[in-house]
Structures are given as structure tokens and as C-alpha cells.
Amino acid sequence: MKTVIIRKNASESDAWTLAERPAPKPGPGQVLVRVRAASINYRDLMVVRGRYGGERKEDLVPLGDAAGEVVAIGAGVRRWKEGDRVISTFFPTWASGPFRGEYRATALGAGGNDGVLAELVVFGEDAIVRAPAHLGFNEASTLTCAGVTAWTALFESGPRPAPGATVLVQGTGGVSLFAAQLARAAGLRVIATSSSAAKIERLRALGVTEAIDYRKQPEWHEEVLRLTGGEGVDRVIEVGGAGTLPRSLQAVKTGGVVSLIGLLSGVGSQIDPMPILFRAIRVEGAVVGSRQATVELVAALELHGIRPVVDEVFPIERANEALAKLAAGKHFGKVVIGLE
């Protein structure tokens, strides 16, 4: 079967190599899934760069986000049958409840755990979730990390925002667009930041009427405050990390929540704790989410008919081009690798 592996000591431009491996077989309690599509996240670029998941095993299969169909089941499996359309879960052992440290070691496509960028992948029967009925495989493959992270950051980090509350989303990557779509479906006001007029126009096509070009307005928190009458937003979906967190702390209202989900603008800078303390701001990390959160996301997407934004689909033979596009930041939404 076709699979992709991460080459040892390869440059970033050709880090992924197409290889042939024997087809796996499911054991007791396992299912075999024919992967039809897999999507890329920024953390997959961090894996290539050696900055995620600890020491990487040799010839690691990348990616954790996949959609496909069950083609065989092992002994004792009751939850699934052949032909079921499914998606992967990011942490296969995290069923529900709060995140625990031991879950991190189970993340697919990092450290010592092979991922899903292969034609056939074996999963534990509890490590997959039913795919939304209204989505094709390319769209469904985007849910595992970006979609679930947005769901967790919006609805499971701190108090759930009530209709009419205001959410700030940063940029037009996968998590941010999912957050904008989910927030609007929940009756929330959405303010977005972006890097260009063209991307802002695409945001408006998704129904986001208030957007800020952060290249023209680098002190974008000031515009957020103006748009909210000086009060600030109820919640920030913070994808930048050290480079944007100080402005997010100024853009959020007293008693508001900053859901930290990404590190696109870097790590390591000193953060002034004064606004967190004196304005009672809650800063919470959203580490993707559990299987239960994935199930809830699927239900919400079906209820509201939400379709993920897919920027481009690359064939598996051009996987390195897909990774390069993500690295260049030229995407709007999700970059997907198709295996159909």
C-alpha cells in the first residue's frame, strides 16, 4: 500500500517520501480503515522541524487527521461495520473529561506513533468517530484537529458563551475559520483579523461582517475595542502565541476568556500578568479535544449544515507541495491530501 514517511535528515522541502508498506490487518478490538483523505495542521510542520512530540521515530508516518471507510473489523468489534464512514480522533485514548498528561503521548503522527497518511490504517474501535453525513471525505478529514480544537476553545474552555456574546478569531487558518463558522451558528458576534483585503472579502462571504487587516492596523486590539464600545470581546481564539497574546489580553473584556490554541507567532516572550490579574481574565489552553468533543462537533455540523473550508486538495504523490503551501501561509482554510 502507498504511505508517506518522514525522511531522516531530509530538508523541509522534501521531508515526506512516498513509500510502499505491507497492508496491515486489524487485531481484536480494532478496525481497518481505507483512508480517503487526510488534512495537514501546523503541528505537522512542527513535527517535520523536530519541535513537536519529542524524539521522532525513524520513518514516521505523519498526520493525525483522516477520513475514510471501514473495510475490515477485528474480533470483538461491535461499534462498527464494513462500509461505515469515519474520522480519526487526535488522542486515541482520550474518551471524555479533562485533558490529562498521559494523553499527549498517544497523539497520532508524532513521536513514536505512526499517523494516518497511508492508504490503510488500523485504529482501535474507540479511536474513530462517525463522519458527518453531509460531508465528503475531503471535508470530513479536516475535523479531527482544527474542527475539534475550535469546538473546545469556544464551548468547553470556561463558561459557554451565550447568544449575542462577541468572539475574536485570528487569521484564516483552519481553526479560526471553524471557530467563526461555529460561533455564527451559535448566535455569537464574530470579529476577525486577517492579513489582506482578499482574505477579508472571503471572510465576509462566510458571514463575518467585522474584519480587521492587521498589516494595516498592527495595533489591532484598538480597533477591537472601538468595535465593542471600549468593552472588549467575551472570548479570543488565540492562535498566534507569544507574538499576539499581549494584544489579545488588551482586546478581551474584563472577566473574559482567552483560549490559547496555537503558537504561530512564536514562544518564549515575557507576558505581562497585570491585565490577567487586575481584569480577572481567564487564559486557558485548548489541547484539541476528546472523543466526546469530536462527537459533539459532528452533531453541531450536521445540525447547522456547516461545511469546512477546504483551500486545496493535493494527491498523495504531491504531499510535499501541500506541506510547503501550509508553511508559506498562503492557504485559506484547510490543506488536504486526497487518497481516493
Side-chain angles (χ1 to χ4, degrees), residues 23 77 85 93:
V77 172
R85 299 170 69 254
T93 59

Side-chain angles (χ1 to χ4, degrees), residues 65-340:
D65 299 32
E69 57 196 359
V70 175
V71 293
I73 58 175
V77 172
R78 297 290 181 266
R79 189 187 296 272
W80 307 104
K81 65 182 184 303
E82 292 182 19
D84 284 343
R85 299 170 69 254
V86 298
I87 60 175
S88 57
T89 57
F90 194 84
F91 297 107
T93 59
W94 185 8
S96 61
F99 182 73
R100 299 206 303 259
E102 61 263 31
Y103 297 146
R104 184 174 294 281
T106 70
L108 299 177
N113 305 318
D114 278 336
V116 298
L117 193 46
E119 290 182 308
L120 294 166
V121 177
V122 169
F123 295 93
E125 69 169 321
D126 295 328
I128 51 177
V129 167
R130 178 182 63 82
H134 69 300
L135 299 183
F137 289 121
N138 290 334
E139 294 172 314
S141 75
T142 68
L143 306 184
T144 298
C145 180
V148 176
T149 300
W151 177 267
T152 299
L154 277 173
F155 303 119
E156 297 192 12
S157 294
R160 180 170 287 212
T166 303
V167 174
L168 172 67
V169 301
Q170 297 174 342
T172 53
V175 176
S176 296
L177 292 186
F178 268 117
Q181 291 175 290
L182 291 167
R184 289 192 67 252
L188 309 180
R189 176 188 180 190
V190 178
I191 300 173
T193 65
S194 186
S195 61
S196 71
K199 288 184 176 181
I200 285 174
E201 284 304 309
R202 296 185 70 179
L203 281 167
R204 290 189 173 125
L206 291 175
V208 177
T209 57
E210 297 171 296
I212 304 165
D213 186 332
Y214 62 78
R215 295 195 187 279
K216 292 182 178 179
Q217 295 179 277
E219 302 299 321
W220 47 262
H221 63 282
E222 295 177 355
E223 179 65 7
V224 172
L225 292 173
R226 188 191 70 80
L227 290 170
T228 57
E231 183 178 21
V233 299
D234 296 271
R235 185 175 302 250
V236 178
I237 308 302
E238 169 59 62
V239 303
T244 53
L245 183 56
R247 290 183 177 85
S248 291
L249 293 175
Q250 295 178 74
V252 72
K253 68 188 294 185
T254 296
V257 178
V258 176
S259 294
L260 178 61
I261 63 94
L263 304 169
L264 297 179
S265 64
V267 297
S269 297
Q270 289 188 345
I271 302 297
D272 182 4
M274 186 78 74
I276 300 174
L277 176 61
F278 282 88
R279 293 175 47 228
I281 297 168
R282 179 179 295 185
V283 180
E284 294 191 5
V287 190
V288 194
S290 64
R291 183 184 192 280
Q292 180 59 35
T294 310
V295 171
E296 292 174 3
L297 169 67
V298 168
L301 296 179
E302 291 181 327
L303 175 64
H304 298 290
I306 296 172
R307 308 193 78 96
V309 179
V310 174
D311 180 274
E312 188 172 357
V313 180
F314 292 80
I316 192 172
E317 291 81 7
R318 294 170 56 203
N320 277 308
E321 293 179 47
L323 185 65
K325 181 165 190 176
L326 184 89
K330 296 179 180 179
H331 56 295
F332 184 94
K334 294 294 293 180
V335 178
V336 172
I337 297 173
L339 291 90
E340 294 194 75

Side-chain angles (χ1 to χ4, degrees), residues 43-68:
R43 75 95 170 183
D44 300 309
L45 186 60
M46 293 174 69
V47 170
V48 167
R49 293 171 175 172
R51 300 175 187 169
Y52 185 98
E55 185 176 353
R56 190 179 72 217
K57 79 168 190 172
E58 190 170 350
D59 294 342
L60 177 76
V61 178
L63 307 192
D65 299 32

